[in-house]
Amino acid sequence: MDSFSFIIRFLKDGGFFMYPIALTLFFGIAIAIERFVFLSRMHANNHRSLKIILPLLMTKDYQKLFDATKKIKSPSASLTAAALKRLQHSSDYQGLESVIEEQIMEATPLLEKRTPYLATLANIATLTGLLGTVIGLIAAFNAVALASSSEKASLLSESISIAMNTTAFGLIVAIPLLLIHSIIQSKSSSILDSLDILGLKILNLLTETKN
């Protein structure tokens, strides 16, 4: 109960600017949860599909590989299916690299969707906290100017303490959001790296088959 009361008082003492910072935290958490769930599911699906695709690719059983990609929903399966479809329409292997690059480019926005917002929200929280502190200090000095000599020291100390709450809260929100942004970005980068590797394997193996 003491901790809860401290948090309520901390937010209340910070004034108006605590509310936009709290709103920033809410949106950041919502985006983080959605992205984490989506990318975790996508990473698991991609990992499972690679266990199926790579052995079939190494054995060059392309018909069985193409049938398998129809049953799998993952970036790796989509890339492999697009490459095999290209070979069905053209036996000279021209444009295969472009097809692979196109599939990776199509997957990139889906994997990185809304992730940059986390860094933006972290910056907004920090700057809003600083703005709240500056405005709070301005109000504090104005109040001190009108106070009596005996009240100035205590009033200034109390006002500065309250004004600093917004900076503290902004940093409390911004630091976890930046950390979460890095974690989510690493997840999406891991999937894109696996697509790059798979694309090279497909290109090399199909080129070897041609030769």
Side-chain angles (χ1 to χ4, degrees), residues 26 31 89 92 100 148 187:
F26 172 78
I31 293 171
H89 293 89
D92 59 2
I100 292 173
S148 62
K187 278 183 169 290

Side-chain angles (χ1 to χ4, degrees), residues 37-38 78 92-94 120 140 148 153 173 188:
V37 171
F38 174 82
S78 299
D92 59 2
Y93 294 86
Q94 289 183 356
T120 301
S148 62
V173 171
S188 60

Side-chain angles (χ1 to χ4, degrees), residues 6 8-9 11 14-15 26 49 74 91 95 115 117 136 138 149 157 181:
F6 173 78
I8 295 298
R9 182 169 181 175
L11 295 174
F26 172 78
S49 65
S74 73
S91 58
T115 301
Y117 291 161
I138 292 173
S149 299
S157 176
H181 172 264

Side-chain angles (χ1 to χ4, degrees), residues 4 33 98 106 129 152 164-165:
F4 181 76
I33 292 174
S98 297
E106 287 181 0
K152 283 185 178 181
M164 295 301 289
N165 283 9

